[in-house]
Each structure stands twice: as structure tokens, then as C-alpha cells.
Amino acid sequence: MPRPGKGSRYHHGDLRAALIGTAVEIIGERGVRGFSMAEASRRLGVAVSAPYAHFADRDALLAAVAVHGYELLYAEMAPQVNALTDPVAQLALMARGYVRFAAAHRPLFDLFYDPGLDEAKHPELAAAEQPITDAFAACVLEVSDQDETIAGELGKAVEATMHGLVTLLLDGDFDAETVDQTAERAARATRALVASRHLLAPPSP
């Protein structure tokens, strides 16, 4: 392990975790495109070569940050979802939690949707996201009465609604609307989509 430089912000042995935390900080300030290994090294007070003991390249570090984000989202949401038994309430809670997570962790949210991360090169991304996808899909299928066609359409509609509301909120298009208000809007919209789920089925040929 490289020795930390003067004024280092990490404890010996924790450089990997420190790099992930610093990457989140830099992305929050400069966006994903503005992140560099050199800047992370400078802020941590280590040699520019030090991060490469843990990550092969910039994309490998960003993939680790995204994995951290997926794990954090699941850890925040799973206990609340599992405490409920009504699948409609669970789905509404997921919509609410998605909005709150995105607002509280915007750098992670932005990274989730960055086209530069190659899931084929970094299969750990799909593995970290899978528990979230599975929980969401299970709820959607249950509220769709096990009809996979309706479940597919409902899932897309709920995802589009959640993501659209988050994007509008983060872009400032909701004026003075608070995060909690947008989260509740997402929950209500999700319940409305569930109630009208049979209207989402594609027309018969």
C-alpha cells in the first residue's frame, strides 16, 4: 500500500473506500465527465499512481462507485419494503424512495445513467443492480395478477414516471416543490398506474 502524503484524508489501508468517497464528491461538483483519477489522488494527498493499486483505470473506479450506489439504494429501501405486505404499497414506497435517493445522492443517480459505463466490461454493475430489479419486478408482477404482459407494460410506465419526475425535480422544473412533495407525487402516480394497469395492455392484433 502506498504511503499517504502529507495531509492525507484517508487512514492507512482504507484508500479504496476513500477513492470511492472522493469520486462521489468530485462527480457532485464537476459531473461524471469532470472526474479524473489525478484529481482524486490530489485531494487525498497520495501519489497519482496510488489508485491503480485498487483500480485498473478510471472506469473501474467509476464502476465501483456505481456498485456502492446500488448497494446503498437497496440497503435504504429493502427494510421498508419488506416491512409491508401490500404489493401496491410496496411499489408506491419504491417510487417514493427512488425520488428521495436521487435527490440525496445526485452524483450516484447521475452515474447510474451515464452511457460511458460499459456493463459488458463491468458485470459487477448488473450484479449489484439485480436485487433492486428483482424486488421491483416481483411487486409489479404481483399487482398485475401474474399477467406478464401487463406487468411488462406497468413496469415500464412506473419506471418512466419515477425517472421523469426525478429529472424534472433535479433540473429545477418544479419551482418550489420540495423533494418530499415530488416523492409523494411519484407514489400517487404509481398507485394511479396500478389502478389503471389493464389500460396499459397493448391492443390485440
Side-chain angles (χ1 to χ4, degrees):
M1 171 70 67
R3 290 188 176 184
K6 185 177 180 181
S8 174
R9 292 168 48 186
Y10 82 98
H11 298 290
H12 185 68
D14 290 338
L15 180 57
R16 186 181 190 281
L19 285 165
I20 291 173
T22 301
V24 173
E25 177 184 290
I26 295 171
I27 293 168
E29 295 171 5
R30 304 183 178 183
V32 179
R33 293 288 174 263
F35 170 76
S36 71
M37 299 278 268
E39 176 62 15
S41 300
R42 186 192 68 76
R43 293 194 185 194
L44 289 171
V46 299
V48 293
S49 60
Y52 295 95
H54 298 276
F55 302 103
D57 53 27
R58 174 183 180 276
D59 285 352
L61 174 50
L62 290 178
V65 175
V67 167
H68 165 70
Y70 287 128
E71 291 173 345
L72 181 60
L73 174 58
Y74 185 73
E76 289 184 0
M77 196 177 294
Q80 300 178 58
V81 172
N82 293 337
L84 301 173
T85 57
D86 176 13
V88 179
Q90 289 176 324
L91 205 55
L93 188 148
M94 289 182 192
R96 191 183 293 115
Y98 179 84
V99 172
R100 288 176 176 161
F101 178 87
H105 306 284
R106 182 164 187 176
L108 297 176
F109 175 78
D110 289 343
L111 187 56
F112 289 164
Y113 295 96
D114 185 78
L117 277 183
D118 185 354
E119 288 195 1
K121 185 178 178 182
H122 298 284
E124 66 271 24
L125 292 170
E129 187 181 7
Q130 196 62 51
I132 302 168
T133 302
D134 289 347
F136 179 78
C139 273
V140 170
L141 187 59
E142 189 168 353
V143 301
S144 301
D145 307 315
Q146 305 300 316
D147 186 316
E148 293 187 0
T149 299
I150 293 177
E153 294 299 321
L154 177 61
K156 292 173 186 175
V158 172
E159 285 187 60
T161 299
M162 292 190 303
H163 189 72
L165 288 172
V166 164
T167 301
L168 290 170
L169 173 70
L170 297 181
D171 287 349
D173 292 329
F174 283 162
D175 298 323
E177 182 163 305
T178 66
V179 172
D180 283 344
Q181 286 173 326
T182 302
E184 292 306 319
R185 185 194 293 267
R188 290 194 307 272
T190 297
R191 288 181 177 276
L193 287 168
V194 171
S196 59
R197 59 192 179 281
H198 295 292
L199 298 176
L200 296 171
S204 301

